[in-house]
Amino acid sequence: MTFSYYPGCTLRTKAVQLDSFARKSAEALGVHMQELDEWQCCGGVYPLAKDEIATKLSSVRALAAARDRGQELLTLCAACHNVLKRVNHDMQTDETICDRANRYLQLPEPYRGETTVLHYLEMLRDRVGFDRLKEQVKNPLTGMKVAAYYGCLLLRPSNVMAFDDPENPTILEDFIRAIGATPVVFPYRNECCGGYVTLQKKEFADSRAALLCRSAAEAGAEAVITACPLCLYNLQRGADENLPIYYFTQLLARALGVEEEAA
Amino acid sequence: MNERETLKQTVLAIAGANPRKCMKCGKCTGACPAFDEMEVPPHRFVSMVEEGRVEELLGTRSLWLCLTCFACVERCPRGVVPARFIEAVRLVQVRCQGQNHLKAEQIPDALDEELPQQAIVSAFRKYSK
Ligand code: SF4
Ligand code: SF4
């Protein structure tokens, strides 16, 4: 199984671990992640304004590059995933945005949303299959109580992201079961961590994160997993030393026995 | 068209959404993680845009506190997309000369060892032009 892969800036800098654990785990699962030859920053947040075109172009370039290779486009960072998927949806459904973007880009072949954007978790669920993942697990994390923090970006808006039920998602809990651990469901798992507001209003973001972490700990979690570098940052600020926050890929690598190699 | 109406139409065009669909149920505000820090919470924000009171919304904390988390959007029973109006008013403000809410000079002080690049890029997208 081969996919085009869009890592994004943060996975090259502060979040290298999210990426390296994912690549090693994919290898172990027989999945080939073929990074795009060229890619640019997605901008971190989807440009909501109907009249913004330039800020969507880096996503369109990445989407078109995957289309030209005839591959599905794999993402890992929850923010990049949200941006790419939503821009792709615009290219499929908003004629004005699609036409204007194509007029800017002048691609040899216009892009109209042909590419399928898949998050790494969706790849595990829908392409590999959690049953097959379970068979490949070498070190099941038996007894470990893990809370899945979804946050906003993977789930919303659900009509576009089509990732899981936005109010009662299960994909991460199914993932946790597949690697042998025990999922812990907590009430704040799909509430915002404070996001980019941490840059300007630290106290506000920190209080959000502390609330989330308390909620996870009270539900009995020994660890929390996330797919987003900014969530990881905010949650780590809100958690005490008894509640480690991991990228989901680290626990995946641990279960597949490749954590040491990737670290 | 008077200035007030022009401003409203600009916001509606950027937002690409219709505030008249709102039935003022307040569910968006109930879902909003930032509502109690905002002087204009999402349900009132939508109403004020509909009433053409955009001028009063400029410079409010709501513009900078909205996390674009889309909880309001997901839970609105009428498909109003409140976050789009906040985005639109924010843009009306930061697209004006000298109105950036985040300036490059502020970044060094805001940095710490662990802060991911994603936070900086996202904040610039939201707060500056
Ligand atoms: S949830 Fe929707 S309908 Fe209800 S007040 Fe908010 S915008 Fe209006
Ligand atoms: S998108 Fe903004 S207004 Fe809507 S719930 Fe989130 S923080 Fe509140």
Side-chain angles (χ1 to χ4, degrees):
Chain A
M1 243 183 292
T2 304
F3 300 92
S4 279
Y5 172 51
Y6 178 96
C9 310
T10 306
L11 272 59
R12 278 285 184 278
T13 44
K14 287 289 182 231
V16 275
Q17 285 204 321
L18 175 58
D19 176 84
S20 59
F21 288 127
R23 287 183 196 250
K24 277 283 168 222
S25 303
E27 255 172 54
L29 292 167
V31 170
H32 190 176
M33 295 163 67
Q34 211 175 72
E35 187 171 329
L36 292 174
D37 300 321
E38 282 183 5
W39 52 265
Q40 298 143 328
C41 175
C42 71
V45 284
Y46 165 73
L48 263 179
K50 283 285 176 195
D51 61 352
E52 288 211 10
I53 301 297
T55 43
K56 297 188 171 88
L57 297 180
S58 64
S59 298
V60 180
R61 278 192 202 97
L63 292 160
R67 187 264 324 261
D68 294 344
R69 283 180 177 179
Q71 291 171 341
E72 296 182 309
L73 183 59
L74 191 66
T75 57
L76 182 52
C77 167
C80 298
H81 179 67
N82 188 277
V83 176
L84 288 168
K85 184 111 192 200
R86 292 171 85 175
V87 171
N88 203 35
H89 185 258
D90 283 339
M91 297 302 283
Q92 291 164 350
T93 59
D94 191 316
E95 228 173 286
T96 316
I97 292 178
C98 181
D99 284 350
R100 289 182 64 195
N102 276 305
R103 257 182 273 141
Y104 264 107
L105 286 172
Q106 299 288 329
L107 300 166
E109 191 191 335
Y111 182 76
R112 306 209 170 277
E114 297 92 332
T115 299
T116 301
V117 182
L118 267 190
H119 187 265
Y120 195 96
L121 282 162
E122 293 175 308
M123 180 273 285
L124 292 178
R125 179 189 61 189
D126 304 334
R127 299 294 183 269
V128 174
F130 284 141
D131 288 343
R132 239 196 81 211
L133 167 60
K134 199 171 174 179
E135 289 163 19
Q136 308 280 322
V137 165
K138 294 208 172 65
N139 312 316
L141 310 181
T142 315
M144 185 176 184
K145 289 185 180 160
V146 183
Y149 176 65
Y150 286 87
C152 317
L153 297 166
L154 293 173
L155 297 171
R156 295 189 287 269
S158 60
N159 60 334
V160 177
M161 301 310 292
F163 181 81
D164 205 342
D165 182 328
E167 303 297 355
N168 194 16
T170 53
I171 182 172
L172 275 165
E173 284 76 14
D174 293 341
F175 163 75
I176 292 168
R177 273 184 219 103
I179 58 172
T182 307
V184 173
V185 172
F186 68 110
Y188 284 92
R189 64 200 177 124
N190 61 347
E191 295 280 329
C192 182
C193 68
Y196 51 80
V197 170
T198 187
L199 209 68
Q200 286 218 314
K201 267 195 157 289
K202 210 96 228 147
E203 337 75 63
F204 173 72
D206 284 352
S207 70
R208 292 286 315 157
L211 180 73
L212 267 44
C213 291
R214 249 195 331 272
S215 162
E218 277 166 13
E222 293 162 8
V224 177
I225 53 169
T226 173
C228 175
L230 185 49
C231 295
L232 183 98
Y233 171 83
N234 283 331
L235 292 183
Q236 280 183 334
R237 292 179 58 89
D240 60 27
E241 63 286 357
N242 301 318
L243 190 69
I245 318 290
Y246 295 112
Y247 288 123
F248 75 97
T249 54
Q250 179 161 4
L251 297 193
L252 174 63
R254 189 175 298 174
L256 293 172
V258 295
E259 185 181 13
E260 310 280 281
E261 285 171 60
Chain B
M1 241 191 306
N2 60 28
E3 207 171 307
R4 190 180 155 114
E5 188 55 25
T6 316
L7 204 50
K8 175 179 168 181
Q9 291 311 323
T10 307
V11 167
L12 296 190
I14 298 175
N18 180 5
R20 294 194 63 181
K21 288 203 291 186
C22 172
M23 61 180 187
K24 307 194 195 315
C25 66
K27 250 194 144 180
C28 49
T29 294
C32 177
F35 85 95
D36 53 353
E37 306 261 341
M38 293 174 166
E39 60 280 67
V40 187
H43 75 289
R44 274 189 47 221
F45 202 101
V46 172
S47 295
M48 285 174 72
V49 170
E50 165 59 10
E51 291 158 17
R53 295 162 66 189
V54 175
E55 191 84 46
E56 293 167 60
L57 293 169
L58 294 171
T60 54
R61 282 195 307 279
S62 307
L63 304 184
W64 322 122
L65 277 167
C66 170
L67 301 146
T68 326
C69 72
F70 264 55
C72 55
V73 179
E74 202 62 57
R75 289 165 203 167
C76 170
R78 301 277 296 154
V80 176
V81 203
R84 282 195 178 273
F85 297 104
I86 301 183
E87 177 87 353
V89 176
R90 174 161 51 205
L91 285 172
V92 163
Q93 173 146 357
V94 300
R95 281 177 185 176
C96 291
Q97 190 88 34
Q99 289 298 310
N100 281 344
H101 185 64
L102 180 66
K103 301 187 176 71
E105 310 82 90
Q106 291 168 258
I107 294 299
D109 285 338
L111 291 183
D112 63 59
E113 208 28 59
E114 302 305 325
L115 188 81
Q117 285 64 23
Q118 175 196 356
I120 306 166
V121 185
S122 303
F124 269 112
R125 273 276 166 95
K126 286 291 171 185
Y127 295 150
S128 301
K129 274 293 149 205

